[in-house]
Amino acid sequence: HVQKLVMLMADIQRHSACSMAILSGNGGFEQQVNALRRKINARISYLQGSPDLADVVDPAEWEAVVSEWRVVGYGWRRDHLLHNFELHSHLIDKIAGIVKTTGRWIMRSGNYSDYIAGLHLSHAFFEYLFSRGIVQIEVMGKLRGLGAHVASTGADEAMLSRLGYLAACAVEEHAAY
């Protein structure tokens, strides 16, 4: 399930970028955003249909993700760009938290060892990935997305403030490791 959750998170990140572009006036992303919405819905349906999802993911957390996707995935066109960015980011953070918890649970259970041995990946790599890596990657992605928007369209005080906050988060995450 971890791989499926990471793929869902990546698709929602792309949906965030495309919806921000559309809200900025670039209609060239309409096909992509519609295709991503269908893909995200299919991923969510697949995960919801998995009988063992509740074994590794808290059902209340999962239901919160599904509910937030309904709000974010279908209501974004009425949002201000920064609000759209924040709603997508919050949803991505929720999924990243589930991935982190699920991944660490799998590592502690020992269920990963055969797969990892086949890939020659170390336990330390996965410990890093599930403890800090996912968060660091997402903070950098947020910085990139909002930074690209600010660079191409300009920014108001709220966007510059959020960009400064994300930069501070990136420094903090880096220093913590």
Side-chain angles (χ1 to χ4, degrees):
H1 293 300
V2 171
Q3 182 181 12
K4 298 288 185 199
L5 288 165
V6 169
M7 290 171 20
L8 174 64
M9 190 168 62
D11 287 339
I12 293 172
Q13 288 167 331
R14 284 190 285 280
H15 186 276
S16 176
C18 290
S19 63
M20 283 178 63
I22 292 168
L23 289 173
S24 296
N26 186 344
F29 288 90
E30 281 292 340
Q31 280 187 309
Q32 278 182 280
V33 82
N34 290 327
L36 283 165
R37 189 186 72 245
R38 287 189 300 273
K39 193 174 184 181
I40 291 165
N41 287 337
R43 288 194 195 285
I44 288 172
S45 292
Y46 174 83
L47 285 163
Q48 281 185 300
S50 178
D52 59 346
L53 181 67
D55 293 343
V56 293
V57 177
D58 180 334
E61 283 184 278
W62 177 249
E63 189 52 43
V65 164
V66 173
S67 294
E68 281 191 43
W69 167 247
R70 287 184 193 123
V71 170
V72 172
Y74 292 93
W76 64 269
R77 290 181 189 271
R78 295 181 301 273
D79 291 338
H80 177 272
L81 189 130
L82 188 57
H83 190 227
N84 176 62
F85 174 78
E86 293 293 340
L87 289 172
H88 275 89
S89 293
H90 188 260
L91 176 57
I92 292 164
D93 288 345
K94 274 191 178 306
I95 297 169
I98 291 171
V99 169
K100 180 178 172 178
T101 301
T102 304
R104 295 182 94 188
W105 176 84
I106 290 169
M107 288 181 58
R108 284 190 201 109
S109 72
N111 292 336
Y112 74 98
S113 59
D114 291 339
Y115 182 69
I116 291 195
L119 294 176
H120 306 289
L121 298 172
S122 72
H123 179 85
F125 170 77
F126 280 94
E127 183 62 37
Y128 166 76
L129 180 65
F130 293 125
S131 66
R132 306 225 46 94
I134 288 175
V135 174
Q136 289 177 341
I137 291 166
E138 181 53 25
V139 168
M140 297 306 290
K142 288 176 186 178
L143 261 172
R144 180 180 173 259
L146 196 55
H149 171 74
V150 167
S152 67
T153 63
D156 58 21
E157 193 60 37
M159 282 199 198
L160 291 175
S161 175
R162 184 62 175 151
L163 205 51
Y165 172 75
L166 289 172
C169 287
V171 169
E172 185 179 308
E173 280 298 322
H174 180 71
Y177 185 72

